[in-house]
Amino acid sequence: MIKIQPHIIQEGSVQFQLGEQKGNQIIYDFQKMLIYLEAKGKLLFGKNFKIYTEDEAILYKLCIYFIRDFETCRKLKINPNKGILLSGPVGCGKTSLMQLLPFIVPHQNQHSLIPARNITFSFNKSGFKIIEDYGNNGFYCFDDLGVETIGRHFGKDCNVMGEILLSRYDLFLKRKIRTHTTTNLNAQELESRYGIRVRSRMRELFNLIAFDKNSLDKRK
């Protein structure tokens, strides 16, 4: 029988050990996770990718969440049963991190990262089936929530992502399927964009993890 060791990850000829196994528990090492995330980031996004020291507090919360460290989540007031709403200014690295972090837990179900604007484009072409497709099943991270336009199909306008979030809330209540999202908008802007009902559901759907509003634009 092959022993599963999710904390030991092979990338080409290099092996990364993210922690130590003690009995049936893995004790992860945050610094080792950072080393792996930077190496994997360079493979995915190019040699200029780096983990910034000023982002380590955010990364710590995200890593704790993804490795399902329930005790530390409780101390940090993170609900591991909810999804993540990762907010911050343009270029701070939200999308890259939500693409990267699942790689530290290869044994878990992986979310698909889908730009919110692409979902609206699909709605414009295919109609309300798209809301059903993304609202009623699957494990998704909706990227750049709030930059998408209002959907329009056969002359009928629809706040597509707002409707999908309402459906995802029902999915969360019935089947405990989590949803993640990234956004440049703050709480007031989200409420203005999607309405108070959706904003209320978002509080129950997500843990808010936010970059500082003065975070660097890493794309410059």
Side-chain angles (χ1 to χ4, degrees):
M1 184 176 177
I2 299 174
K3 187 178 181 182
I4 297 175
Q5 296 180 299
H7 63 298
I8 299 176
I9 302 174
Q10 193 79 26
E11 294 288 350
S13 61
V14 182
Q15 187 178 86
F16 296 86
Q17 185 164 334
L18 308 187
E20 300 287 340
Q21 188 151 6
K22 296 186 177 180
N24 62 355
Q25 188 178 19
I26 298 170
I27 309 300
Y28 283 91
D29 183 311
F30 180 56
Q31 293 305 317
K32 290 179 179 178
M33 285 192 282
L34 290 182
I35 290 168
Y36 171 67
L37 288 170
E38 182 159 287
K40 185 65 176 179
K42 290 182 186 299
L43 290 173
L44 289 177
F45 309 122
K47 63 181 181 180
N48 292 327
F49 178 87
K50 65 175 289 188
I51 298 292
Y52 290 81
T53 303
E54 57 265 33
D55 294 340
E56 288 187 10
I58 291 281
L59 268 164
Y60 182 71
K61 291 180 181 179
L62 291 169
C63 284
I64 290 302
Y65 173 87
F66 274 92
I67 64 174
R68 316 298 285 154
D69 181 339
F70 298 117
E71 184 178 344
T72 308
C73 278
R74 181 173 49 80
K75 290 177 182 176
L76 295 175
K77 295 183 169 54
I78 295 170
N79 185 337
N81 297 316
K82 294 183 179 183
I84 294 291
L85 191 160
L86 187 58
S87 73
V90 172
C92 67
K94 301 181 298 296
T95 301
S96 298
L97 292 184
M98 292 306 285
Q99 287 176 286
L100 260 182
L101 281 155
F103 286 102
I104 67 174
V105 283
H107 56 298
Q108 293 184 17
N109 290 334
Q110 306 295 300
H111 61 252
S112 298
L113 190 138
I114 312 288
R117 61 197 299 271
N118 289 7
I119 296 174
T120 300
F121 293 153
S122 297
F123 173 87
N124 294 345
K125 180 180 178 182
S126 302
F128 288 87
K129 174 182 179 296
I130 298 301
I131 293 175
E132 185 176 327
D133 288 347
Y134 287 105
N136 295 344
N137 53 66
F139 188 21
Y140 296 111
C141 176
F142 300 123
D143 191 37
D144 267 347
L145 185 72
V147 304
E148 77 282 356
T149 58
I150 291 292
R152 189 172 182 83
H153 183 69
F154 282 112
K156 188 169 184 179
D157 288 347
C158 178
N159 191 327
V160 178
M161 289 308 304
E163 292 298 324
I164 287 173
L165 288 172
L166 289 174
S167 295
R168 298 295 300 187
Y169 174 74
D170 292 337
L171 185 67
F172 173 66
L173 291 182
K174 292 174 185 173
R175 295 168 53 193
K176 304 304 178 188
I177 294 179
R178 288 170 286 145
T179 304
H180 304 312
T181 188
T182 73
T183 186
N184 302 330
L185 306 185
N186 61 34
Q188 291 74 29
E189 290 167 330
L190 285 168
E191 185 170 313
S192 176
R193 181 74 173 76
Y194 298 107
I196 192 167
R197 182 168 173 238
V198 173
R199 176 67 185 129
S200 174
R201 299 295 188 272
M202 290 176 75
R203 290 190 186 97
E204 297 181 61
L205 269 175
F206 300 119
N207 296 284
L208 173 61
I209 297 180
F211 280 87
D212 187 275
K213 64 181 180 179
N214 297 317
S215 291
L216 292 173
D217 185 344
K218 281 96 173 175
R219 294 182 290 199
K220 290 184 177 178

